[in-house]
Amino acid sequence: MRLPRNTVLLLAVDLALVLLAGWGAFWLRFNFDIPPDYARLALRAAPWSLAGYTLALLLSRVYRQVWSYIGLPELRQLAAGILLGGLLTAAAVLMQRLPDFPRSVLLLQPLIALVLLGAARAGWRTLAERRTAGPGGRRLVIVGYLQDASDALRALKGSQQWQPVGIVSPARAEVGRSIQNVRVLGQLASLADICESAQAAAALIASPPGSPERQQALLGSAGAQLTLLTMPRPDEWLKTDSPGPRKIELEDLLGRSPVQLDAAGLADLFSGQTVLVTGAGGSIGSELCRQVARFGVGRLVCVDVSEYAIYQLEQELRAAHPQMQGSYYTANVREVERLRAIALQHRPAVVLHAAAYKHVPLMEELNEIEALRTNVVGTLNAARVAGECGARRFVMISTDKAVNPTNVMGASKRLAELMVQGAAAQHPATQYVSVRFGNVLGSSGSVVPLFAAQIARGGPVTVTHPDIVRYFMTIPEAAQLVLQAGLMGSSGQIFVLDMGEPVKIVELARMLIRLSGKTEEEIPISYTGLRPGEKLFEELLADDETTEPTPHPKLRVAKTSGPTADVAAVTCWIDQAGPAPDSFAVRQWLRSQVPEYAPR
């Protein structure tokens, strides 16, 4: 076997150190004065030692290691090779029956060899790090427990941009300790003062996403004019050109973990198939299109009532997926004949229905009938058309506001769920499901863009009530779970997503203010009172509903026991309601269709 030149060179260095270790073992055995007879014995044993350690080190594959990145796993591998070398050497010496050979030398030599070979590698790594170390970038402190800070320090090794100057830990017991020559300077409560005294320009939040330490660090840095950073999440590594620290975002503070998808099942569902998405230009609809495109869809049919939204989506998808066939339609789901013509032309295998009116206060006043025509009739149209064109699956996006609704929008979405179940009874060949989830960060109807605009104007940030809470998830997470739900369950089922812990809206406002680099003194928060139809908290299940688990940890099936809707009667009433029906009459009729609806 021909060894590479570098391997031969490194092996020669190691064998020289092994011989030195053998001589050192004799030296220690005889108290630093080796008798001549034993010196000759050491020379006689040297060839066997070289042979044993050569074979052992090659078998243990230590020369595949890169010395500049040596660590504990590599040292354990080295130790195994040296132990094997010691055993082979001992066996050879004993078989040669060398007279009076000190047995203690056979124990000492591997120990000394491990120290020498390990020191050589550690020294090489130290020199390599000094060569690659930059002149020192901007000063920053690391926020997190020592374990988290250790990981961050390793990631920052050799950084030309950042120079760690201290650690801020949530644990009092860790103050004053140090790792990798970086000292714990204090606790989170003193973050602003510590950064000022350390002349740090930034703080790297090393704690896991969603941990209380992240929010404390954000709020504790107020007034320090401090840039808050975090390391990219694993799902971002392939999407960024810069693997180093990035600015912290709201999603990092809320701690939504990446969704584990059944990639094989979704590929089987979408690959080479035609998929139709309604409301494709909206926040959720457009993300559904992006996610579906990843699975090699045969043709993506995008439908939206907004010309500009569908144009933007077309430009984005054609740039990102030039090989994908796409059809982009401006159409309203309330116009069943137009929707039917599109579906019959393309015969989609999957229909994802995201088109809806979702703004609670807007639908509560003056636009009640529009909510019914879009959310109820539009959903029924899409569901029926899916069955008529032979679609395998239909997925409707619902909302947590459909649970014990107190507003027209929520009640209309609950009635839409009943419409989907009615279509499921009429078209048994198509699998129909609805998916409920809460607020989506950054969506067009989310409070986040509103707060951002208010902060940009200099405030105030308006919150309806100091105790109001909502569930939140990210747009990609919501879209991925919708797709996963479409892969599961039985027709007519309603899926409930794991929304995590509810978030106080006032805390969300404070975090956004701090992320903008401002303080509450500069951007005040004012309370405006609950709006019509608004609740202090949202629910994911009605009073008479329970859930059952599914194979996916973030999806559960709601077991409903309420009445079914008379589809024909519902559509007849809405069609005959006229262009501007009385608001009280609309609410009374909704109450008759959705008994749990309790208008406020």
Side-chain angles (χ1 to χ4, degrees):
M1 180 180 64
R2 184 178 179 86
L3 297 176
R5 184 177 179 180
N6 286 347
T7 299
V8 172
L9 179 61
L10 296 176
L11 178 61
V13 172
D14 284 346
L15 292 178
L17 294 175
V18 166
L19 289 177
L20 182 60
W23 191 259
F26 272 93
W27 197 45
L28 290 175
R29 166 63 179 81
F30 293 102
N31 296 321
F32 314 116
D33 185 16
I34 306 175
D37 290 343
Y38 284 97
R40 288 190 290 271
L41 198 60
L43 294 176
R44 290 179 59 189
W48 299 106
S49 180
L50 289 175
Y53 278 94
T54 298
L55 181 60
L57 292 173
L58 290 175
L59 287 175
S60 61
R61 300 179 179 180
V62 297
Y63 299 108
R64 294 185 179 182
Q65 301 171 355
V66 179
W67 285 21
S68 299
Y69 300 98
I70 201 78
L72 284 178
E74 290 78 14
L75 290 177
R76 283 194 289 267
Q77 186 181 5
L78 176 66
I82 290 174
L83 175 61
L84 178 59
L87 292 174
L88 291 176
T89 300
V93 167
L94 293 175
M95 289 176 63
Q96 292 300 311
R97 300 182 184 278
L98 296 178
D100 300 324
F101 194 92
R103 304 295 173 87
S104 57
V105 168
L106 298 175
L107 296 175
L108 288 171
Q109 184 182 15
L111 296 177
I112 299 173
L114 179 59
V115 172
L116 293 177
L117 271 64
R121 286 156 171 76
W124 184 267
R125 173 173 174 169
T126 301
L127 289 174
E129 289 179 351
R130 288 185 178 178
R131 284 198 306 270
T132 58
R138 298 172 64 194
R139 297 166 67 86
L140 90 162
V141 296
I142 297 174
V143 178
Y145 292 99
L146 284 180
Q147 178 59 56
D148 300 321
S150 175
D151 296 338
L153 286 169
R154 279 196 296 271
L156 291 170
K157 281 284 187 184
S159 172
Q160 305 285 330
Q161 188 177 3
W162 299 105
Q163 177 189 357
V165 295
I167 299 170
V168 176
S169 172
R172 179 182 298 179
E174 294 180 352
V175 175
R177 302 172 67 183
S178 65
I179 52 173
Q180 302 181 39
N181 292 324
V182 180
R183 187 165 169 263
V184 180
L185 302 176
Q187 291 186 266
L188 274 173
S190 307
L191 177 61
D193 294 335
I194 291 171
C195 291
E196 186 176 352
S197 62
Q199 298 180 335
L204 175 65
I205 315 300
S207 300
S211 62
E213 294 80 35
R214 288 196 170 219
Q215 297 185 20
Q216 291 176 34
L218 178 69
L219 302 176
S221 62
Q225 300 300 313
L226 196 64
T227 300
L228 293 178
L229 306 172
T230 187
M231 298 302 292
R233 299 184 298 270
D235 58 318
E236 298 176 318
W237 290 346
L238 298 178
K239 303 177 185 177
T240 178
D241 296 328
S242 176
R246 60 163 174 79
K247 283 191 175 182
I248 201 163
E249 299 172 354
L250 188 60
E251 290 88 340
D252 302 308
L253 300 169
L254 296 180
R256 302 297 301 181
S257 57
V259 176
Q260 301 299 319
L261 293 175
D262 179 4
L266 290 173
D268 181 62
L269 177 62
F270 294 118
S271 180
Q273 301 294 324
T274 297
V275 178
L276 188 151
V277 181
T278 69
S283 305
I284 298 297
S286 60
E287 184 63 27
L288 286 171
C289 292
R290 295 184 195 100
Q291 297 288 344
V292 167
R294 292 172 44 219
F295 291 100
V297 63
R299 177 178 291 275
L300 186 57
V301 182
C302 304
V303 178
D304 198 279
V305 72
S306 168
E307 174 194 27
Y308 182 63
I310 207 72
Y311 166 75
Q312 281 189 311
L313 180 66
E314 177 190 25
Q315 297 301 305
E316 177 188 341
L317 292 180
R318 284 186 173 173
H321 304 279
Q323 305 302 320
M324 184 187 73
Q325 297 184 56
S327 300
Y328 304 88
Y329 291 93
T330 54
N332 195 323
V333 293
R334 288 154 55 162
E335 300 171 358
V336 66
E337 292 303 326
R338 169 69 167 158
L339 200 59
R340 182 179 288 116
I342 295 171
L344 290 177
Q345 179 179 348
H346 297 288
R347 300 283 179 179
V350 180
V351 176
L352 305 174
H353 178 57
Y357 282 142
K358 308 179 184 74
H359 196 274
V360 170
L362 200 59
M363 296 300 106
E364 195 68 15
E365 297 178 344
L366 308 179
N367 296 296
E368 301 95 330
I369 193 63
E370 296 301 305
L372 295 180
R373 286 179 176 142
T374 295
N375 294 354
V376 179
V377 176
T379 295
L380 180 61
N381 290 342
R384 280 176 168 172
V385 164
E388 291 169 5
C389 72
R392 290 163 51 195
R393 296 176 188 268
F394 176 92
V395 183
M396 193 269 283
I397 312 299
S398 189
T399 171
D400 57 0
K401 294 174 178 61
V403 180
N404 295 326
T406 60
N407 51 68
V408 171
M409 193 283 283
S412 71
K413 292 296 282 185
R414 174 59 185 141
L415 194 50
E417 293 177 350
L418 298 176
M419 294 297 101
V420 172
Q421 291 177 335
Q426 295 174 357
H427 301 279
T430 301
Q431 180 170 305
Y432 291 85
V433 298
S434 300
V435 184
R436 286 179 190 164
F437 53 83
N439 296 273
V440 178
L441 284 175
S443 66
S444 56
S446 168
V447 73
V448 175
L450 172 64
F451 285 172
Q454 291 175 335
I455 292 169
R457 292 196 300 264
V461 172
T462 56
V463 178
T464 57
H465 193 283
D467 296 324
I468 192 168
V469 296
R470 289 292 182 266
Y471 293 99
F472 284 96
M473 63 172 27
T474 65
I475 293 176
E477 181 185 11
Q480 290 167 0
L481 287 172
V482 167
L483 298 184
Q484 186 68 48
L487 193 62
M488 303 164 60
S490 303
S491 192
Q493 286 184 328
I494 299 173
F495 285 90
V496 180
L497 304 190
D498 174 14
M499 296 298 300
E501 295 299 320
V503 178
K504 291 189 74 171
I505 299 299
V506 67
E507 294 299 327
L508 188 71
R510 288 178 178 139
M511 288 189 282
L512 284 169
I513 291 170
R514 180 59 200 94
L515 283 174
S516 71
K518 304 293 184 181
T519 65
E520 280 190 65
E521 287 72 28
E522 298 171 287
I523 308 289
I525 296 175
S526 66
Y527 298 102
T528 59
L530 292 175
R531 297 171 296 180
E534 191 170 42
K535 295 193 288 187
L536 276 178
F537 59 91
E538 300 291 0
E539 304 161 273
L540 295 176
L541 292 172
D543 295 336
D544 60 347
E545 291 180 337
T546 58
T547 64
E548 291 182 351
T550 72
H552 196 283
K554 287 194 173 186
L555 287 169
R556 298 183 70 86
V557 177
K559 303 298 292 181
T560 60
S561 58
T564 58
D566 185 335
V567 174
V570 168
T571 56
C572 180
W573 190 93
I574 295 175
D575 288 342
Q576 296 177 0
D582 178 69
S583 294
F584 178 76
V586 171
R587 286 171 169 77
Q588 286 296 101
W589 178 81
L590 260 179
R591 183 69 186 271
S592 70
Q593 301 299 315
V594 183
E596 62 267 34
Y597 170 47
R600 292 182 180 178

